Amino acid sequence: MSTSPSETSPAVAPAATVRIIASPQSWVEGEAVRQLEAVARLPGMRLAVGLPDLHPGKGAPVGAAFESEGFLYPYLVGSDIGCGMGLWDVDLPVRKTKAERWAAKLDLEGAWEGDAEAFLAEHGGKATGFEAALGTVGGGNHFAEVQRVETVHDARVFEALGLRAERLLLLVHSGSRGLGEAILRTHVDRHAAGGLAAGTAEARTYLERHDGAVTWARANRALVAQRTLDGIGATGRRVLDVCHNSVTVRHSDGRVGWLHRKGAAPSDEGPVVIPGSRGALSYLVLPVGPGEHSAHSLAHGAGRKWTRTAARERLKERFTAESLTRTVFKSHVVCEDRDLLFEEAPPAYKAIDRVVTDLVEAGLVRVVATLAPVLTYKTRGRSAE
């Protein structure tokens, strides 16, 4: 479904084009559409795109991208600045998988014992005061997941990435932890959900801190991967790393604009992994086409179907906590936070195959491979401060 302002017919017509990229088979909650239209009415907004994983967020929808001119909006990026997905090729064959043993011993909680400042410097970052959390997954929908290749759909692209079907992979979803939250809080304390005029001192200060958080988040994913690989007795090579919560400058036709992504993967940085829930496949895809129609963005995951509260209430009547530590793929789930186990259960999410099919049918991606979970790490129940 692709909509324009005249087709959405909100109470007050959006100033920007509103476009939802989703088929009739995809369920998009009305509140998410309302939030998308509200963002379209912000000063300077030119385009608001909802992707197939679109769902309501805190004041602004998730699974969306927004293009503005003259103003940028930190609130649209949210608190987890720099959050994204990193994929590692693991130097370990699938036949040597020891998921049950790994699940029993893998522990990514607590501060890393190495030199965090040196690690950040090595990855282009600098100390921020949040180094105790560096190398930790975090809460919510974040994870580190050991995966196996289910099916290769495009052998040429798959092999060009240096991947082999018989080897394991590692997907890490995490962000800037408390750093991004502190940056957003500073902005909200002064401006609430308001934007910043481009080119002002306040905008420059936010962008500098934002860019630092993006770099910090990328380093965090690298350290989560290193700790995971150490824990399973393997080494790995980073294949890709993309950010899905950010604001970036874009130059087009002599105009300077700002592209906000809130739970939207970039379509202009090469291959992307779009994960399902912990009990579903993940999709390695190659973006295709020029990208203007979708604000150069793709879905970043399956997207929530139920709120966390609803998921807990509904699923505690159907499942035991113990049953949710195994999946239909016979993979293991490490999650010692009982509430989180239910909140992040597979039924709480949309069907990832439908989300990706929508992207394929819209001419935005080509599927390279599907990846199945082997071990999903969420939390041991304690975290770094």
Side-chain angles (χ1 to χ4, degrees):
M1 174 176 70
S2 177
T3 65
S4 67
S6 60
E7 292 171 316
T8 57
S9 300
V12 179
T17 298
V18 176
R19 184 174 296 136
I20 299 176
I21 300 172
S23 68
Q25 290 75 34
S26 289
W27 178 75
V28 177
E29 192 171 340
E31 175 61 13
V33 177
R34 188 199 67 76
Q35 289 184 345
L36 193 72
E37 292 171 344
V39 171
R41 292 191 287 271
L42 293 173
M45 200 59 63
R46 297 197 330 235
L47 176 64
V49 175
L51 295 152
D53 58 335
L54 183 71
H55 59 281
K58 295 179 180 179
V62 182
F66 312 96
E67 293 183 359
S68 65
E69 187 175 351
F71 292 87
L72 56 101
Y73 292 89
Y75 197 77
L76 295 181
V77 178
S79 61
D80 200 5
I81 302 167
C83 187
M85 302 280 177
L87 181 70
W88 277 258
D89 173 34
V90 180
D91 189 16
L92 198 65
V94 175
R95 60 184 171 79
K96 291 192 176 181
T97 296
K98 300 174 182 176
E100 189 168 0
R101 184 185 302 179
W102 296 341
K105 71 174 185 176
L106 187 62
D107 192 339
L108 306 179
E109 313 300 328
W112 181 51
E113 295 180 356
D115 188 335
E117 290 191 26
F119 189 90
L120 281 168
E122 181 183 341
H123 288 77
K126 59 184 180 180
T128 61
F130 291 88
E131 281 59 58
L134 190 71
T136 60
V137 173
N141 62 354
H142 295 153
F143 60 82
E145 185 169 274
V146 179
Q147 301 176 327
R148 60 175 174 80
V149 177
E150 177 81 354
T151 306
V152 176
H153 295 268
D154 190 324
R156 183 184 62 81
V157 175
F158 186 81
E159 292 167 4
L161 292 170
L163 299 176
R164 292 160 55 182
E166 69 273 14
R167 291 216 301 218
L168 292 168
L169 294 164
L170 171 63
L171 183 65
V172 176
H173 175 206
S174 192
S176 55
R177 305 290 274 109
L179 173 60
E181 183 179 0
I183 294 170
L184 180 64
R185 189 182 306 119
T186 297
H187 172 78
V188 170
D189 286 348
R190 296 194 63 179
H191 303 279
L196 300 173
T200 62
E202 283 189 309
R204 288 192 294 271
T205 296
Y206 171 78
L207 289 170
E208 182 179 357
R209 298 190 72 193
H210 163 281
D211 292 351
V214 170
T215 299
W216 198 101
R218 185 171 289 111
N220 186 49
R221 288 189 288 277
L223 188 51
V224 169
Q226 180 177 310
R227 295 179 78 178
T228 304
L229 292 167
D230 289 345
I232 67 174
T235 58
R237 172 185 62 88
R238 185 163 61 187
V239 178
L240 60 87
D241 187 287
V242 298
C243 168
H244 54 234
N245 285 359
S246 67
V247 57
T248 53
V249 65
R250 293 195 73 88
H251 300 272
S252 177
D253 299 326
R255 303 164 72 180
V256 178
W258 298 93
L259 175 55
H260 306 73
R261 292 184 174 113
K262 177 59 176 174
S267 67
D268 51 2
E269 296 179 18
V272 170
V273 175
I274 305 176
S277 67
R278 65 181 183 237
L281 295 173
S282 293
Y283 283 75
L284 174 61
V285 302
L286 180 70
V288 296
E292 286 86 357
H293 186 77
S294 64
H296 304 279
S297 301
L298 305 170
H300 80 309
R304 290 198 73 88
K305 183 170 63 178
W306 300 331
T307 66
R308 294 184 177 279
T309 299
R312 288 196 306 270
E313 292 175 349
R314 294 184 184 198
L315 299 179
K316 284 182 178 179
E317 297 177 356
R318 296 169 49 190
F319 301 98
T320 65
E322 178 63 26
S323 70
L324 292 176
T325 63
R326 297 298 297 272
T327 75
V328 294
F329 292 95
K330 300 188 181 341
S331 63
H332 292 252
V333 178
V334 177
C335 183
E336 295 179 359
D337 180 326
R338 182 183 174 87
D339 284 343
L340 189 63
L341 196 58
F342 285 96
E343 291 167 3
E344 290 292 307
Y349 283 84
K350 299 180 184 182
I352 187 61
D353 56 344
R354 183 68 256 170
V355 168
V356 174
T357 297
D358 283 0
L359 296 175
V360 171
E361 292 178 347
L364 298 179
V365 304
R366 187 164 75 244
V367 176
V368 176
T370 51
L371 315 173
V374 171
L375 170 66
T376 306
Y377 184 98
K378 299 289 288 184
T379 181
R380 284 292 180 194
R382 61 188 191 284
S383 60
E385 296 298 331

